Amino acid sequence: EKRRSQNQYNSLFQPIPHFFGYEGRCAFPTNFDCDYCYSLGVNAAILIDLGYTGVMSVIKGLDQKPDQWIAGAVSYTHLTLPTIYSVQISVVAVSLKKKIT
């Protein structure tokens, strides 16, 4: 308005409000993101195929190359224990080499 009153701005400005939410804060996924999520999904499918229930798919060794990651499962009951106990979360190793048919 100040610039318009001084004849320095001749255009019409009409802002359009839009809430960006997560779309405004996210970025294109990296190769790590794609490899990690794919591994979690394949591991979850194998766990279901093997009849596991009440577990969460986990991938360990993320500081290594993807072909060296260790897939496994953590029981949900291990995740609900009070933090006052020093609990070593055990991971059940699952082979990713099993074919899913």
Side-chain angles (χ1 to χ4, degrees):
E1 293 298 321
K2 180 179 178 183
R3 290 178 61 202
R4 184 175 292 158
S5 67
Q6 297 172 353
N7 291 328
Q8 295 176 346
Y9 184 79
N10 298 327
S11 298
L12 180 62
F13 178 72
Q14 293 180 340
I16 300 171
H18 178 75
F19 177 71
F20 282 98
Y22 286 108
E23 68 185 80
R25 296 185 295 239
C26 68
F28 198 70
T30 64
N31 286 340
F32 172 81
D33 296 330
C34 295
D35 289 339
Y36 179 62
C37 291
Y38 180 82
S39 297
L40 282 173
V42 169
N43 187 43
I46 291 172
L47 290 169
I48 291 168
D49 187 48
L50 294 175
Y52 283 85
T53 60
V55 294
M56 180 177 67
S57 175
V58 295
I59 306 294
K60 291 181 67 174
L62 298 176
D63 58 335
Q64 305 295 322
K65 292 182 180 178
D67 61 354
Q68 297 174 336
W69 291 351
I70 300 169
V74 173
S75 171
Y76 285 122
T77 57
H78 278 96
L79 300 175
T80 60
L81 294 175
T83 57
I84 57 172
Y85 299 106
S86 176
V87 178
Q88 181 76 22
I89 296 178
S90 59
V91 176
V92 179
V94 177
S95 173
L96 285 177
K97 297 185 189 293
K98 179 179 178 178
K99 291 184 180 179
I100 300 174
T101 55

